[in-house]
């Protein structure tokens, strides 16, 4: 049985997800966006209380609010591997300048990562992830699909009732819609989806109700 625990960190309320298998003491952390000592303490206290040791960090993309806590976790757990799509490796430099950075106390982020690519299959801590490259919100955005448990970790590609913004550097609305329509919405409707912000949803619910996914909102054609 797969267990998930969602934490919400930083002023942008980023979802950080801890995943582990029943009976396992190894775990995976997705998008550790802790921006404060309190947030870091909340996560590490949870890991300690449950006897969990992280084996890897999976990044859905490189925006600062999803990577804020990576270096702190790497310091606390030496040897921790960090997986990221290479097209987002330089995105921190672009995100720390300009209007989007105003009002945020940035730190320079510099940590080694392992590349992921569309179609990769990662098996870590007894959990198998299919990597789906879904550019649009950022060039290197990816979703991690756990087929066995009908679970999609979709970062800022898809939200409950919305989609990722595309007005940031590297964003592209047409590319995002192509990712959504041809890579995300083709997954089974019963697939649970945990986005990078906001409440979990399902692929079926978004296909029926998400106003940005109009092709899926249209009624079926009447049979002659």
């Amino acid at each position: 049985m797969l267990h998930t625990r969602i934490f919400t960190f930083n002023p942008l309320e980023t979802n950080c997800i801890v995943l582990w298998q029943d009976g396992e003491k190894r775990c995976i952390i997705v998008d550790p966006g802790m921006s404060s000592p309190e947030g870091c303490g909340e996560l590490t206290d949870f890991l300690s209380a449950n006897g969990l040791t992280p084996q890897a960090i999976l990044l859905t993309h490189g925006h600062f609010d999803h990577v804020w806590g990576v270096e702190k976790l790497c310091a606390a757990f030496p040897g921790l591997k960090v997986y990221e799509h290479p097209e987002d490796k330089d995105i921190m430099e672009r995100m720390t300048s300009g209007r989007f950075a105003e009002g945020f106390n940035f730190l320079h982020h510099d940590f080694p990562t392992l590349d992921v690519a569309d179609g990769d299959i990662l098996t870590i801590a007894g959990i198998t992830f299919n990597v789906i490259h879904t550019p649009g919100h950022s060039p290197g955005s990816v979703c991690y699909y756990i087929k066995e448990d009908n679970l999609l970790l979709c970062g800022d590609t898809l939200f409950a009732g919305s989609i990722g913004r595309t007005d940031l550097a590297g964003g592209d609305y047409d590319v995002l819609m192509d990712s959504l329509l041809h890579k995300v919405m083709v997954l089974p409707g019963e697939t649970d989806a945990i986005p990078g912000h906001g409440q979990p949803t399902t692929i079926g619910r978004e296909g029926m109700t998400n106003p940005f996914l109009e092709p899926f909102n249209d009624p079926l054609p009447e049979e002659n």
Side-chain angles (χ1 to χ4, degrees), residues 20-38:
W20 71 99
Q21 293 282 20
D22 200 31
E24 268 279 0
K25 294 303 180 183
R26 301 174 298 166
C27 69
I28 307 293
I29 299 175
V30 179
D31 290 352
M34 310 88 70
S35 62
S36 67
E38 292 78 15

Side-chain angles (χ1 to χ4, degrees), residues 10-223:
N10 73 55
L12 296 181
E13 299 185 342
T14 301
N15 288 333
C16 167
I17 308 135
V18 181
L19 305 101
W20 71 99
Q21 293 282 20
D22 200 31
E24 268 279 0
K25 294 303 180 183
R26 301 174 298 166
C27 69
I28 307 293
I29 299 175
V30 179
D31 290 352
M34 310 88 70
S35 62
S36 67
E38 292 78 15
C40 291
E42 182 182 358
L43 179 58
T44 54
D45 286 351
F46 173 81
L47 297 176
S48 178
N50 289 275
L52 296 172
T53 301
Q55 300 296 294
I57 294 171
L58 304 184
L59 298 178
T60 61
H61 61 293
H63 287 163
F64 70 93
D65 55 313
H66 292 254
V67 306
W68 238 323
V70 171
E71 287 169 311
K72 294 182 178 65
L73 283 175
C74 289
F77 300 96
L80 194 58
K81 296 179 179 179
V82 183
Y83 292 84
E84 181 184 33
H85 195 281
E87 290 191 35
D88 267 14
K89 281 189 175 181
D90 67 342
I91 206 166
M92 282 302 304
E93 295 301 323
R94 290 182 279 133
M95 291 296 292
T96 55
S97 62
R99 65 178 180 82
F100 193 75
E102 293 177 3
F104 292 98
N105 181 23
F106 284 96
L107 297 174
H108 177 67
H109 290 276
D110 184 16
F111 45 83
T113 60
L114 298 173
D115 291 349
V116 296
D118 190 54
D120 281 355
I121 298 176
L122 307 175
T123 300
I124 310 168
I127 307 170
T128 298
F129 302 86
N130 290 75
V131 179
I132 306 173
H133 184 208
T134 54
H137 175 65
S138 72
S141 286
V142 297
C143 297
Y144 296 98
Y145 178 43
I146 307 173
K147 184 177 181 180
E148 182 178 355
D149 294 278
N150 289 322
L151 178 63
L152 183 72
L153 311 174
C154 50
D156 289 3
T157 295
L158 176 69
F159 299 125
S162 189
I163 61 174
R165 60 187 296 180
T166 57
D167 60 326
L168 304 174
D172 189 307
Y173 178 82
D174 291 334
V175 172
L176 177 59
M177 291 306 299
D178 185 74
S179 294
L180 284 164
L181 298 181
H182 296 106
K183 291 187 173 182
V184 175
M185 299 311 298
V186 296
L187 297 175
E190 65 270 20
T191 302
D192 292 310
I194 302 178
H197 304 268
Q199 295 300 310
T201 184
T202 67
I203 295 300
R205 183 180 301 131
E206 297 313 302
M208 292 295 294
T209 64
N210 192 311
F212 291 90
L213 302 173
E214 291 183 359
F216 292 86
N217 301 157
D218 292 340
L220 294 174
E222 294 183 4
E223 295 183 2

